[in-house]
Amino acid sequence: MWNFVEETARDVFRAYNFQEIRTPIFESTELFARGVGEETDIVAKEMYTWEDRSRKSPLTDAPHEAAADVLGGGQSLTLRPEATAGIVRAYIEHKLWDRGLNKLYCIGPMFRRERPQKGRYRQFYQIDAEIIGPASAGSDSPARDAELLEMLATLLDRLGIAGWNLELNSVGCPNDREAFNQALRKALEPVVGQMCADCQRRAVTNPLRVFDCKVPADQPIIEKLPRISQFLDEPCRRHFDEVQQILTKVGIPFSLNDRLVRGLDYYTRTAFEFTHGALGAQNAILGGGRYDGLSEALGGPPAPGIGFAIGEDRLVMSLPQSAESVLKKPDVYVAALGTGMNGEAARLARELRRENLVVDLGDEGFRLKKSFEAATRAGAKYILIVGENEVKADAFALKNLASGEQVSVPRGELAQKIRA
Ligand code: HAM
């Protein structure tokens, strides 16, 4: 099922001209702190971070200057909690804009120290895609936002996932955020004393993060706070309107959710999540948004971008039962029957596999009953008996396990008969 999801994703990404990028599993802690934001739950509580070996020889524990020069040392490293920061780091470091690489995707494990539950793991897998580039190449255009969202709808449809809901918001630009933060601080002042300790801290350092709070008692208070949608400036409002217009034009349904601020600090303008009812509490299959200032924050040139990450574990859980039909069961189980038959069976299996059939193989020590049980358990369509008489005649007993029909088929016609 995981292969089916990844193959389908690669296929869809190819149709939209995305290229694969593989970034390191761990990078410097500073990258994530600066990229994702010090005040986010991810950076403040959830990262797996360690100090790299100090400047000492790994063997003797004695200072070892030559080794230290090669190994670096004392650096703080972190298992990647998400892919965007690493991809933007690579974009800057390798000047990917010079090579016309502006649509990138990455599939792999991410790590967050969260309390494990259904759909939430400490090592989980993301399928991440990003569109990034100079504004002159149109990377800030609402057309990119809509293209990315339409691609996601196409991918979920191709996977047979029905009943998803696209929730959309705009979190504005730094200008809007300034005014919004002021209003938030003011609204929080009289009520923050009744909120959880995290919210009391957030109210001072980064009030937007109050919206990440999951403490039930805080929710009625948060419900009454001002929303970013009331603070969008004219260009942000127009940008968001146009994203919606294109989505409507191409027939992608969405609902507006002005509480959606996403748990990472780099977002600007469009922010979104796709949720799925069958998942329970952890119902976001994927999330993403625009991050127009991230490249500059990491020391790069202006490079507006937008992207998403699918939680692959959750995506696999929301696949319909019917998707199991993609699991390829053996076309045939080749049963060796009697001493000396392993070689003959292996030869037949080799011939059939070269005809692109899926073949499972038994052992001459199995009795007939055990071979039938093994073939049935493997879900094979046919069982093929390779015994001394069959080898002599160069024709083999082929039994359809569903219908029970059994025929004798000459070696040269086996592949064709099985395929039919
Ligand atoms: P995120 O919302 O933190 O965004 O994660 C994206 C998705 O990863 C979530 O919707 C969820 O499906 C999955 N996920 C997150 N944490 C876990 C976990 N502990 N266990 C299982 N699944 C999980 C990001 O990571 C951004 N980098 C997305 C992005 C890309 N924005 C722009 N470009």
Side-chain angles (χ1 to χ4, degrees):
M1 301 295 264
W2 285 69
N3 283 336
F4 165 63
V5 165
E6 290 176 16
E7 273 166 28
T8 308
R10 287 173 194 280
D11 248 28
V12 170
F13 292 159
R14 198 169 300 124
Y16 289 75
N17 196 28
F18 278 75
Q19 310 285 332
E20 181 169 5
I21 183 168
R22 298 188 184 187
T23 66
I25 302 286
F26 63 84
E27 301 218 29
S28 86
T29 304
E30 200 199 337
L31 169 67
F32 302 112
R34 275 209 285 169
V36 176
E38 303 266 10
E39 262 309 309
T40 60
D41 281 355
I42 295 177
V43 173
K45 315 192 235 188
E46 297 171 357
M47 296 203 304
Y48 288 94
T49 295
W50 73 98
E51 194 85 347
D52 198 13
R53 265 185 214 285
S54 60
R55 289 176 156 267
K56 292 201 176 140
S57 157
L59 295 179
T60 62
D61 215 34
H64 188 305
E65 285 311 314
D69 284 347
V70 178
L71 299 172
Q75 195 190 356
S76 180
L77 299 172
T78 291
L79 291 180
R80 62 183 186 191
E82 60 106 49
T84 312
I87 293 175
V88 175
R89 195 260 319 130
Y91 172 84
I92 298 167
E93 191 173 330
H94 303 288
K95 299 191 168 51
L96 295 185
W97 59 89
D98 272 351
R99 291 150 66 183
L101 292 169
N102 67 331
K103 285 171 154 177
L104 301 163
Y105 74 90
C106 169
I107 301 178
M110 309 293 154
F111 305 83
R112 296 182 193 175
R113 187 186 286 103
E114 295 192 87
R115 190 182 314 227
Q117 63 179 86
K118 183 185 169 211
R120 193 164 76 192
Y121 311 103
R122 292 179 163 185
Q123 173 170 345
F124 60 100
Y125 288 75
Q126 283 190 345
I127 300 175
D128 181 289
E130 313 288 347
I131 305 179
I132 180 170
S136 60
S139 61
D140 59 346
S141 163
R144 295 290 75 71
D145 306 44
E147 184 184 13
L148 195 85
L149 289 165
E150 189 275 326
M151 176 171 83
L152 277 166
T154 298
L155 174 56
L156 295 181
D157 289 346
R158 282 269 296 271
L159 292 169
I161 294 177
W164 49 261
N165 182 29
L166 163 56
E167 296 187 15
L168 206 56
N169 193 21
S170 173
V171 296
C173 52
N175 273 343
D176 314 330
R177 206 72 63 74
E178 185 81 34
F180 178 53
N181 277 339
Q182 261 179 29
L184 258 186
R185 283 208 169 87
K186 209 162 144 214
L188 280 166
E189 223 172 68
V191 291
V192 73
Q194 306 156 37
M195 300 181 80
C196 69
D198 279 340
C199 281
Q200 302 200 6
R201 200 194 62 238
R202 292 163 174 149
V204 181
T205 53
N206 190 349
L208 186 74
R209 297 272 68 94
V210 164
F211 287 97
D212 298 340
C213 174
K214 290 176 191 88
V215 175
D218 288 1
Q219 299 311 308
I221 301 173
I222 296 170
E223 221 25 69
K224 295 202 193 79
L225 293 174
R227 302 297 164 90
I228 183 76
S229 55
Q230 303 154 334
F231 293 84
L232 298 183
D233 66 13
E234 201 37 44
C236 286
R237 199 179 301 278
R238 240 184 295 123
H239 193 275
F240 192 40
D241 281 347
E242 187 154 351
V243 174
Q244 296 176 55
Q245 275 169 28
I246 305 174
L247 287 178
T248 306
K249 185 95 183 170
V250 294
I252 307 298
F254 59 87
S255 48
L256 297 178
N257 173 3
D258 64 2
R259 238 201 94 160
L260 182 77
V261 295
R262 308 268 306 127
L264 303 90
D265 274 351
Y266 48 61
Y267 288 115
T268 54
R269 296 193 164 174
T270 311
F272 57 86
E273 278 178 2
F274 281 67
T275 55
H276 195 267
L279 283 171
Q282 303 300 322
N283 68 351
I285 327 178
L286 69 93
R290 184 163 271 293
Y291 46 85
D292 289 348
L294 181 55
S295 176
E296 289 103 309
L298 297 178
I306 181 166
F308 64 81
I310 300 171
E312 194 176 354
D313 310 74
R314 295 184 195 175
L315 187 66
V316 169
M317 279 194 274
S318 33
L319 288 179
Q321 206 87 51
S322 60
E324 282 185 22
S325 64
V326 304
L327 299 177
K328 192 97 173 85
K329 296 280 170 61
D331 296 301
V332 59
Y333 182 96
V334 177
L337 207 68
T339 318
M341 287 300 119
N342 268 347
E344 295 291 347
R347 187 174 144 210
L348 256 180
R350 177 172 158 88
E351 286 166 12
L352 295 175
R353 285 171 179 149
R354 290 192 161 205
E355 295 281 343
N356 274 330
L357 292 167
V358 180
V359 180
D360 210 353
L361 186 58
D363 182 88
E364 62 186 31
F366 294 178
R367 287 172 195 274
L368 193 58
K369 182 162 176 271
K370 185 167 171 185
S371 296
F372 269 92
E373 281 167 6
T376 307
R377 211 173 320 115
K381 246 176 268 151
Y382 289 97
I383 186 167
L384 182 66
I385 309 295
V386 184
E388 213 172 316
N389 293 337
E390 281 83 1
V391 171
K392 242 182 246 150
D394 210 29
F396 300 82
L398 182 70
K399 182 164 185 160
N400 183 318
L401 282 164
S403 69
E405 182 206 3
Q406 183 171 326
V407 283
S408 174
V409 184
R411 181 186 290 270
E413 293 166 26
L414 272 170
Q416 197 191 358
K417 171 76 185 163
I418 291 167
R419 224 190 315 276

